[in-house]
Amino acid sequence: MSRIFVPNFGFLSTSQEKDVLRRLSEGPSRRAVLKGLVAAGLASGVAGNVLLAASNARANTPVRGGTLRVAGAMSSTADTADPALFGNSTDYSRGFMFYNGLTVIDPEMKAQPQLASSWDQDGTNTVWTFKIREGVTFHDGSALTSADVVYSLNRHLDPATGTKAMTIASQFKEVAATGSHEVRITLVGPNGDLPILLSTPHFMIVKDGTTDFSKPNGTGPFVAEEFTPGVRSLGVRNENYWKEGLPYLDAVEFFGIPEENARLNALISGDVQLTTTINPRAISQIEANPNVVLFETKSGTYSNLIMRQDAAPGNNPDFALGMKYLMNRAMIRNAVFRDFAVLGNDHPIDPSNPFFNADIPQREFDPEKAKFHLEKAGVLNTPIPMVVAETARASIEMGSMLMEDGRDIGLQIDLQRVPSDGYWSNYWMKVPVGFGTVSHRPTADLVLSLFYKSDAPWNEAGWKSEQFDQLLIAARAEPDFDRRKQMYGDMQVMIHESGGTGIPVFFSNLDAHSAKLKGMVPIATGNMMGFNFAESVWLEA
């Protein structure tokens, strides 16, 4: 713990710190502690400052014990404990409870060592050598070796696995053990972002030969006591966790509550201590409750209008362009997200990214241009089904705004609200016009590879461009920052002009938690510390 500093007094001595914290830990009232400090010779004003400083210090000192109950935003019988198949925030959160990756993303969006203690490359960013941490065990007691890493990475290359990360894994030319705790990864082409890519939840490490994921067996901070898809996950502290002193909690119970008001009510009533995906409309309700804390993470997360280009009406370029002009971005930012957002420009690179192209003219709300392109596409006065669901954040509000503004120019949007349960497996990317929600990715290459490369499994709009694919691969290998920025800038222009996704804003991830929950730190890759809250937080007694 850091030294206790008291305003108008200075730092307490070690003996004073121990005395004050002892008095607090013994549990008497604030008045009794204050009286004791005055009796010890401190003036009443100084004693009050000492008490406040010591109380703050104690509040920021991790406490072991307790069970944290967490309500996620998604729940489905399609939930999985197989990292290769992770498809949503619930899967990611569970994954970080039970598994570790070779690397992990820190709050600065940099890759830090995890199961890999270190790494280096051959000078061309093509051949990488990872030292595997020794002394780590799986939950079944077996030791982590390079064989587990090789198996975990190579299974992504097996079509039978059905990995969600094939776009990244296809860059692996060879993954081989070069020692009991050393692995060499040879890429098909240079990529200096490999350590960051390996922090993706899909690349968490499983035991060599694992095919049954009904009972997760990882190296993570919690041991799976229960995993019931669509119901809940229960993890208990891994007493043999390789990170000394972690985790702080005895257990984490995680379950999904798709309905946002029900999630918030569960927190306010004390049924859960942490919940996610807060609607900005509920902020005043949270701020009025002293027992609840709003937790904001600024990020490049977005919800996008998806217009499939392999089906009508999205296969007509004028339809997609017209819908982009019909998006009132400023209104969406202000009315829907209460200014917890920045404007987007119909491409997935947010303004905080070093490769963001600021030279692309901002697309404005322009009903007349929208009408011109939609009329040219031949869709005016024809019902256009648009699928929305609460789980695709703000899609209901954005869809309603598009419907109202479209009515003024003769566009008939048939807004079809479907249940959140099963939305991502039954509707996302499967309907001609719908919505998605994409969490912040730590690199430009990652978000472009996952969602816009022609063969990407998550190419939401089915947008295909050979020129884009070639430029994406070339940018990975380009060592010069300015030239690389130009390449990424050109790719943003291509998506802005011809892509089938409308991205109106990038919004903050908003969570809420009990005032007794401590240790939360914003990590832009997602809600609840980039979904990786479990090993770092604690409950105040």
Side-chain angles (χ1 to χ4, degrees):
M1 184 182 66
S2 60
R3 295 286 306 282
I4 298 177
F5 178 81
V6 182
N8 302 318
F9 185 81
F11 286 103
L12 295 183
S13 67
T14 302
S15 61
Q16 287 173 321
E17 288 179 357
K18 290 181 178 179
D19 180 58
V20 173
L21 293 174
R22 176 185 58 78
R23 291 173 186 268
L24 286 170
S25 67
E26 290 173 351
S29 67
R30 174 185 172 89
R31 179 177 297 176
V33 173
L34 188 59
K35 184 177 180 180
L37 293 174
V38 172
L42 292 175
S44 59
V46 173
N49 285 340
V50 169
L51 179 59
L52 178 61
S55 296
N56 289 338
R58 187 179 68 165
N60 292 321
T61 300
V63 177
R64 288 176 68 85
T67 296
L68 177 66
R69 302 187 79 234
V70 185
M74 301 176 186
S75 181
S76 167
T77 54
D79 290 351
T80 179
D82 180 351
L85 303 183
F86 285 169
N88 57 50
S89 60
T90 295
D91 289 340
Y92 301 152
S93 298
R94 182 188 307 107
F96 281 116
M97 287 168 57
F98 301 143
Y99 303 102
N100 298 125
L102 289 177
T103 62
V104 67
I105 289 293
D106 69 10
E108 303 300 320
M109 294 293 99
K110 296 178 181 178
Q112 297 297 334
Q114 199 166 47
L115 292 183
S117 58
S118 65
W119 55 82
D120 56 38
Q121 47 91 14
D122 64 346
T124 69
N125 290 326
T126 302
V127 180
W128 294 76
T129 301
F130 290 81
K131 300 289 186 181
I132 308 305
R133 195 176 299 276
E134 299 189 36
V136 178
T137 59
F138 286 93
H139 297 158
D140 66 0
S142 59
L144 171 74
T145 70
S146 55
D148 305 302
V149 176
V150 171
Y151 173 77
S152 298
L153 298 185
N154 276 335
R155 64 189 297 263
H156 291 276
L157 301 178
D158 182 355
T161 301
T163 180
K164 302 293 187 181
M166 176 55 76
T167 304
I168 302 174
S170 62
Q171 299 179 47
F172 301 160
K173 181 178 181 180
E174 181 186 48
V175 181
T178 51
S180 64
H181 287 80
E182 185 178 278
V183 172
R184 183 183 62 231
I185 301 176
T186 304
L187 303 178
V188 296
N191 193 334
D193 291 335
L194 181 62
I196 295 178
L197 299 182
L198 292 176
S199 72
T200 305
H202 303 92
F203 295 111
M204 290 179 176
I205 303 304
V206 303
K207 185 177 177 180
D208 184 15
T210 301
T211 57
D212 181 4
F213 292 90
S214 59
K215 177 79 181 286
N217 177 32
T219 61
F222 292 88
V223 178
E225 187 167 290
E226 178 186 335
F227 165 52
T228 306
V231 181
R232 73 165 189 164
S233 302
L234 178 62
V236 298
R237 180 193 287 123
N238 178 4
E239 299 293 351
N240 297 314
Y241 194 41
W242 58 274
K243 294 186 182 181
E244 185 176 357
L246 295 178
Y248 302 116
L249 297 164
D250 290 335
V252 176
E253 182 181 2
F254 190 99
F255 47 88
I257 302 180
E259 207 280 312
E260 60 189 25
N261 289 329
R263 283 198 306 276
L264 183 57
N265 288 335
L267 176 67
I268 292 173
S269 67
D271 290 336
V272 302
Q273 292 81 46
L274 172 62
T275 191
T276 187
T277 318
I278 299 299
N279 192 312
R281 292 195 306 266
I283 291 175
S284 59
Q285 186 179 359
I286 294 171
E287 292 177 340
N289 190 323
N291 299 317
V292 176
V293 177
L294 180 70
F295 182 72
E296 179 189 6
T297 301
K298 297 182 184 298
S299 77
T301 300
Y302 60 86
S303 285
N304 54 332
L305 175 65
I306 300 170
M307 298 159 282
R308 295 287 305 180
Q309 297 193 335
D310 52 7
N315 56 2
N316 187 317
D318 278 294
F319 174 76
L321 194 54
M323 294 303 293
K324 292 174 185 177
Y325 279 117
L326 196 59
M327 300 189 90
N328 193 332
R329 300 161 204 278
M331 183 68 72
I332 291 171
R333 179 189 60 192
N334 301 336
V336 178
F337 291 102
R338 302 297 198 269
D339 292 329
F340 284 90
V342 297
L343 292 183
N345 203 15
D346 299 326
H347 63 76
I349 308 302
D350 75 283
S352 70
N353 191 294
F355 296 117
F356 172 73
N357 187 345
D359 295 329
I360 303 176
Q362 176 66 55
R363 183 169 281 135
E364 303 288 350
F365 174 59
D366 192 329
E368 288 304 312
K369 284 186 178 179
K371 182 177 181 180
F372 170 81
H373 288 287
L374 293 169
E375 190 171 39
K376 189 176 178 183
V379 297
L380 293 184
N381 302 310
T382 301
I384 303 296
M386 179 181 290
V387 178
V388 298
E390 192 171 276
T391 188
R393 280 184 258 179
S395 65
I396 297 171
E397 294 91 337
M398 290 193 291
S400 298
M401 292 173 65
L402 287 167
M403 182 176 67
E404 292 296 326
D405 291 329
R407 186 177 293 137
D408 294 338
I409 62 172
L411 180 67
Q412 299 178 19
I413 292 178
D414 177 17
L415 208 62
Q416 300 180 354
R417 182 170 178 172
V418 301
S420 291
D421 186 18
Y423 177 79
W424 301 104
S425 56
N426 299 326
Y427 297 96
W428 179 54
M429 301 200 309
K430 295 181 180 179
V431 297
V433 182
F435 284 85
T437 298
V438 175
S439 297
H440 182 101
R441 261 56 182 191
T443 70
D445 175 71
L446 189 53
V447 69
L448 295 173
S449 296
L450 288 175
F451 295 95
Y452 290 91
K453 193 168 183 288
S454 296
D455 59 356
W458 289 342
N459 185 335
E460 296 176 297
W463 181 71
K464 299 182 186 300
S465 167
E466 184 177 349
Q467 181 186 0
F468 175 91
D469 295 345
Q470 292 173 347
L471 202 54
L472 180 64
I473 294 171
R476 293 173 186 162
E478 177 53 61
D480 182 82
F481 177 85
D482 290 336
R483 284 198 292 268
R484 198 177 187 202
K485 184 171 184 176
Q486 180 63 53
M487 291 176 177
Y488 284 125
D490 291 344
M491 286 183 270
Q492 290 166 60
V493 171
M494 296 168 68
I495 296 171
H496 171 86
E497 292 180 348
S498 65
T501 53
I503 302 175
V505 298
F506 299 95
F507 54 83
S508 294
N509 295 316
L510 300 179
D511 305 309
H513 60 80
S514 164
K516 292 186 176 181
L517 182 66
K518 307 295 182 180
M520 295 285 287
V521 177
I523 299 178
T525 48
N527 290 79
M528 302 186 296
M529 296 183 64
F531 316 112
N532 194 9
F533 62 90
E535 76 171 22
S536 301
V537 299
W538 67 92
L539 287 168
E540 200 174 54

